[in-house]
Short mmCIF file of all heavy atoms in Angstrom, two decimals:
data_model
loop_
_atom_site.label_atom_id
_atom_site.label_comp_id
_atom_site.label_asym_id
_atom_site.label_seq_id
_atom_site.Cartn_x
_atom_site.Cartn_y
_atom_site.Cartn_z
N ILE A 21 51.16 108.55 13.23
CA ILE A 21 52.17 108.92 14.24
C ILE A 21 51.74 108.52 15.60
O ILE A 21 50.56 108.15 15.91
CB ILE A 21 52.31 110.50 14.24
CG1 ILE A 21 50.97 111.16 14.56
CG2 ILE A 21 52.97 111.02 13.05
CD1 ILE A 21 50.94 112.69 14.86
N LYS A 22 52.72 108.26 16.48
CA LYS A 22 52.51 107.97 17.93
C LYS A 22 52.43 109.30 18.64
O LYS A 22 53.17 110.21 18.31
CB LYS A 22 53.61 107.24 18.46
CG LYS A 22 53.65 105.68 18.05
CD LYS A 22 54.77 104.96 18.75
CE LYS A 22 54.81 103.53 18.35
NZ LYS A 22 55.83 102.82 19.04
N VAL A 23 51.45 109.38 19.56
CA VAL A 23 51.27 110.74 20.25
C VAL A 23 51.33 110.48 21.84
O VAL A 23 50.70 109.50 22.31
CB VAL A 23 49.88 111.23 19.96
CG1 VAL A 23 49.53 112.43 20.79
CG2 VAL A 23 49.74 111.57 18.48
N TYR A 24 52.13 111.21 22.45
CA TYR A 24 52.06 111.16 23.98
C TYR A 24 51.12 112.31 24.35
O TYR A 24 51.38 113.48 24.17
CB TYR A 24 53.47 111.49 24.55
CG TYR A 24 53.47 111.33 25.99
CD1 TYR A 24 53.53 110.13 26.58
CD2 TYR A 24 53.38 112.53 26.71
CE1 TYR A 24 53.43 110.11 27.98
CE2 TYR A 24 53.27 112.42 28.16
CZ TYR A 24 53.34 111.16 28.80
OH TYR A 24 53.31 111.11 30.17
N SER A 25 50.05 111.82 24.85
CA SER A 25 48.92 112.70 25.23
C SER A 25 48.93 113.26 26.66
O SER A 25 49.19 112.37 27.52
CB SER A 25 47.56 112.06 24.98
OG SER A 25 46.49 112.83 25.42
N TYR A 26 48.80 114.55 26.90
CA TYR A 26 48.66 115.05 28.18
C TYR A 26 47.25 115.08 28.71
O TYR A 26 47.02 115.47 29.85
CB TYR A 26 49.19 116.46 28.30
CG TYR A 26 50.60 116.66 27.79
CD1 TYR A 26 50.99 117.90 27.21
CD2 TYR A 26 51.55 115.73 27.90
CE1 TYR A 26 52.25 118.13 26.73
CE2 TYR A 26 52.88 115.98 27.40
CZ TYR A 26 53.27 117.16 26.84
OH TYR A 26 54.47 117.40 26.43
N THR A 27 46.23 114.73 27.92
CA THR A 27 44.89 114.80 28.35
C THR A 27 44.60 113.65 29.26
O THR A 27 45.22 112.59 29.28
CB THR A 27 43.92 114.66 27.11
OG1 THR A 27 44.11 113.49 26.38
CG2 THR A 27 44.10 115.91 26.22
N GLU A 28 43.67 113.90 30.29
CA GLU A 28 43.45 112.93 31.31
C GLU A 28 43.01 111.59 30.79
O GLU A 28 43.40 110.49 31.22
CB GLU A 28 42.34 113.46 32.30
CG GLU A 28 42.28 112.58 33.57
CD GLU A 28 41.45 113.27 34.60
OE1 GLU A 28 41.61 114.52 34.87
OE2 GLU A 28 40.66 112.50 35.32
N ILE A 29 42.11 111.51 29.84
CA ILE A 29 41.85 110.35 29.05
C ILE A 29 42.60 110.45 27.83
O ILE A 29 42.31 111.32 26.94
CB ILE A 29 40.26 110.18 28.82
CG1 ILE A 29 39.52 110.08 30.16
CG2 ILE A 29 40.00 108.93 27.97
CD1 ILE A 29 38.04 110.02 29.98
N ARG A 30 43.64 109.64 27.65
CA ARG A 30 44.63 109.95 26.61
C ARG A 30 44.03 110.11 25.18
O ARG A 30 44.49 111.03 24.57
CB ARG A 30 45.69 108.76 26.63
CG ARG A 30 46.53 108.76 27.83
CD ARG A 30 47.66 107.78 27.71
NE ARG A 30 48.64 107.96 28.85
CZ ARG A 30 49.01 107.04 29.51
NH1 ARG A 30 48.84 105.80 29.17
NH2 ARG A 30 49.83 107.25 30.51
N GLU A 31 43.10 109.30 24.89
CA GLU A 31 42.64 109.44 23.58
C GLU A 31 41.72 110.68 23.31
O GLU A 31 41.42 110.92 22.14
CB GLU A 31 41.88 108.10 23.08
CG GLU A 31 40.73 107.75 23.95
CD GLU A 31 41.17 106.76 25.12
OE1 GLU A 31 42.31 106.82 25.57
OE2 GLU A 31 40.26 106.08 25.48
N ASN A 32 41.39 111.45 24.38
CA ASN A 32 40.61 112.66 24.14
C ASN A 32 41.37 113.65 23.23
O ASN A 32 40.75 114.47 22.58
CB ASN A 32 40.26 113.31 25.48
CG ASN A 32 39.08 112.70 26.16
OD1 ASN A 32 38.49 111.80 25.66
ND2 ASN A 32 38.74 113.19 27.32
N ILE A 33 42.64 113.61 23.18
CA ILE A 33 43.47 114.48 22.33
C ILE A 33 42.97 114.42 20.84
O ILE A 33 43.03 115.37 20.25
CB ILE A 33 44.88 114.12 22.45
CG1 ILE A 33 45.75 115.33 21.88
CG2 ILE A 33 45.29 112.80 21.82
CD1 ILE A 33 47.25 115.13 22.05
N LEU A 34 42.44 113.25 20.51
CA LEU A 34 42.00 113.06 19.13
C LEU A 34 40.72 113.91 18.76
O LEU A 34 40.45 114.21 17.64
CB LEU A 34 41.64 111.59 18.88
CG LEU A 34 42.82 110.69 19.04
CD1 LEU A 34 42.38 109.25 19.05
CD2 LEU A 34 43.93 110.86 17.89
N THR A 35 40.05 114.33 19.82
CA THR A 35 38.78 115.06 19.57
C THR A 35 38.99 116.57 19.40
O THR A 35 38.00 117.26 19.09
CB THR A 35 37.82 114.84 20.75
OG1 THR A 35 38.33 115.42 21.94
CG2 THR A 35 37.44 113.42 21.00
N TYR A 36 40.20 117.02 19.55
CA TYR A 36 40.50 118.46 19.48
C TYR A 36 41.07 118.91 18.20
O TYR A 36 41.82 119.87 18.13
CB TYR A 36 41.41 118.86 20.64
CG TYR A 36 40.89 118.55 21.98
CD1 TYR A 36 41.61 117.76 22.97
CD2 TYR A 36 39.61 119.04 22.47
CE1 TYR A 36 41.10 117.46 24.17
CE2 TYR A 36 39.14 118.66 23.71
CZ TYR A 36 39.83 117.89 24.54
OH TYR A 36 39.42 117.60 25.78
N SER A 37 40.60 118.34 17.07
CA SER A 37 41.16 118.69 15.81
C SER A 37 40.44 120.08 15.39
O SER A 37 39.40 120.27 15.74
CB SER A 37 40.77 117.65 14.76
OG SER A 37 41.33 117.95 13.54
N PRO A 38 41.32 120.91 14.75
CA PRO A 38 42.59 120.77 14.27
C PRO A 38 43.71 121.00 15.39
O PRO A 38 43.41 121.62 16.40
CB PRO A 38 42.77 121.88 13.21
CG PRO A 38 41.93 122.98 13.70
CD PRO A 38 40.77 122.24 14.40
N TRP A 39 44.89 120.42 15.14
CA TRP A 39 46.04 120.73 16.00
C TRP A 39 46.93 121.68 15.27
O TRP A 39 47.04 121.82 14.13
CB TRP A 39 46.82 119.39 16.17
CG TRP A 39 46.18 118.24 16.89
CD1 TRP A 39 45.12 118.30 17.74
CD2 TRP A 39 46.63 116.92 16.92
NE1 TRP A 39 44.88 117.02 18.23
CE2 TRP A 39 45.83 116.21 17.73
CE3 TRP A 39 47.73 116.26 16.28
CZ2 TRP A 39 45.97 114.80 17.91
CZ3 TRP A 39 47.83 114.86 16.59
CH2 TRP A 39 47.04 114.20 17.36
N ILE A 40 47.66 122.34 16.22
CA ILE A 40 48.76 123.17 15.79
C ILE A 40 49.97 122.51 16.28
O ILE A 40 50.31 122.27 17.36
CB ILE A 40 48.76 124.63 16.40
CG1 ILE A 40 47.42 125.31 15.88
CG2 ILE A 40 49.93 125.38 15.93
CD1 ILE A 40 46.87 126.36 16.81
N LEU A 41 50.88 122.05 15.23
CA LEU A 41 52.13 121.41 15.61
C LEU A 41 53.24 122.45 15.63
O LEU A 41 53.17 123.30 14.68
CB LEU A 41 52.43 120.32 14.54
CG LEU A 41 51.50 119.19 14.41
CD1 LEU A 41 51.94 118.20 13.40
CD2 LEU A 41 51.20 118.53 15.79
N ARG A 42 54.09 122.42 16.65
CA ARG A 42 55.12 123.46 16.69
C ARG A 42 56.40 122.77 17.22
O ARG A 42 56.43 121.93 18.08
CB ARG A 42 54.71 124.60 17.74
CG ARG A 42 55.70 125.63 17.88
CD ARG A 42 55.25 126.78 18.83
NE ARG A 42 54.99 126.31 20.11
CZ ARG A 42 54.38 127.06 21.07
NH1 ARG A 42 53.86 128.20 20.68
NH2 ARG A 42 54.21 126.59 22.28
N LYS A 43 57.51 123.31 16.53
CA LYS A 43 58.79 122.82 16.89
C LYS A 43 59.63 124.08 16.67
O LYS A 43 59.79 124.45 15.52
CB LYS A 43 59.30 121.70 16.10
CG LYS A 43 60.65 121.11 16.67
CD LYS A 43 60.93 119.80 15.92
CE LYS A 43 62.04 119.07 16.68
NZ LYS A 43 62.31 117.81 16.02
N GLY A 44 60.30 124.66 17.73
CA GLY A 44 61.03 125.83 17.61
C GLY A 44 60.09 127.01 17.19
O GLY A 44 59.08 127.13 17.70
N LYS A 45 60.47 127.64 15.99
CA LYS A 45 59.70 128.83 15.56
C LYS A 45 58.76 128.35 14.46
O LYS A 45 57.99 129.19 13.96
CB LYS A 45 60.58 129.85 15.11
CG LYS A 45 61.39 130.50 16.25
CD LYS A 45 62.23 131.72 15.75
CE LYS A 45 62.96 132.31 16.93
NZ LYS A 45 63.72 133.47 16.53
N GLU A 46 58.83 127.04 14.01
CA GLU A 46 58.02 126.52 12.99
C GLU A 46 56.73 125.95 13.49
O GLU A 46 56.74 125.30 14.51
CB GLU A 46 58.85 125.50 12.22
CG GLU A 46 58.14 125.01 10.90
CD GLU A 46 58.97 124.01 10.13
OE1 GLU A 46 60.17 123.81 10.54
OE2 GLU A 46 58.46 123.51 9.16
N SER A 47 55.71 126.25 12.84
CA SER A 47 54.30 125.68 13.23
C SER A 47 53.49 125.39 11.96
O SER A 47 53.65 126.01 10.94
CB SER A 47 53.60 126.56 14.24
OG SER A 47 53.31 127.84 13.53
N LYS A 48 52.57 124.49 12.18
CA LYS A 48 51.67 124.05 11.11
C LYS A 48 50.33 123.57 11.67
O LYS A 48 50.28 122.94 12.72
CB LYS A 48 52.31 123.03 10.11
CG LYS A 48 52.79 121.73 10.85
CD LYS A 48 53.35 120.73 9.83
CE LYS A 48 54.82 121.09 9.60
NZ LYS A 48 55.50 120.22 8.66
N LEU A 49 49.28 123.88 10.95
CA LEU A 49 47.92 123.56 11.31
C LEU A 49 47.61 122.21 10.63
O LEU A 49 47.86 122.04 9.39
CB LEU A 49 46.85 124.59 10.86
CG LEU A 49 45.46 124.40 11.29
CD1 LEU A 49 45.41 124.53 12.83
CD2 LEU A 49 44.67 125.39 10.60
N VAL A 50 47.11 121.17 11.35
CA VAL A 50 46.86 119.87 10.76
C VAL A 50 45.45 119.41 11.22
O VAL A 50 45.06 119.64 12.40
CB VAL A 50 48.02 118.82 11.21
CG1 VAL A 50 49.26 119.16 10.54
CG2 VAL A 50 48.06 118.57 12.64
N GLU A 51 44.75 118.65 10.40
CA GLU A 51 43.47 118.01 10.72
C GLU A 51 43.77 116.60 11.13
O GLU A 51 44.46 115.78 10.45
CB GLU A 51 42.61 118.04 9.58
CG GLU A 51 42.14 119.52 9.21
CD GLU A 51 41.11 120.00 10.08
OE1 GLU A 51 40.39 119.23 10.85
OE2 GLU A 51 40.93 121.22 10.22
N VAL A 52 43.07 116.12 12.19
CA VAL A 52 43.13 114.72 12.61
C VAL A 52 42.10 114.02 11.91
O VAL A 52 40.90 114.27 11.97
CB VAL A 52 42.89 114.61 14.13
CG1 VAL A 52 43.03 113.11 14.56
CG2 VAL A 52 43.98 115.39 14.99
N ILE A 53 42.55 112.99 11.13
CA ILE A 53 41.52 112.19 10.33
C ILE A 53 41.09 110.95 10.98
O ILE A 53 39.90 110.56 11.03
CB ILE A 53 42.19 111.75 8.95
CG1 ILE A 53 42.72 112.99 8.12
CG2 ILE A 53 41.26 110.94 8.07
CD1 ILE A 53 41.52 114.03 7.73
N ASP A 54 41.91 110.36 11.64
CA ASP A 54 41.60 109.11 12.38
C ASP A 54 42.62 108.92 13.61
O ASP A 54 43.68 109.59 13.57
CB ASP A 54 41.76 107.95 11.49
CG ASP A 54 41.04 106.66 11.95
OD1 ASP A 54 40.42 106.62 13.02
OD2 ASP A 54 41.11 105.61 11.26
N GLY A 55 42.28 108.07 14.57
CA GLY A 55 43.18 107.77 15.56
C GLY A 55 42.50 106.84 16.65
O GLY A 55 41.29 106.56 16.52
#
């Protein structure tokens, strides 16, 4: 996936695994494997 990161160093977002993905009322926990 492509990610638009809000972190100051964009790729730092990859170090914060796991992520919680949310859209509307739905959410899911995901592990970042590579990036």
Side-chain angles (χ1 to χ4, degrees):
I21 58 172
K22 288 183 182 179
V23 173
Y24 183 81
S25 174
Y26 303 151
T27 59
E28 189 169 320
I29 299 173
R30 288 189 176 137
E31 57 269 26
N32 279 0
I33 194 171
L34 299 168
T35 65
Y36 301 126
S37 185
W39 292 345
I40 298 159
L41 299 181
R42 181 172 64 192
K43 189 170 192 176
K45 293 183 180 184
E46 190 177 351
S47 64
K48 55 180 86 180
L49 187 68
V50 296
E51 291 287 335
V52 178
I53 302 300
D54 197 3

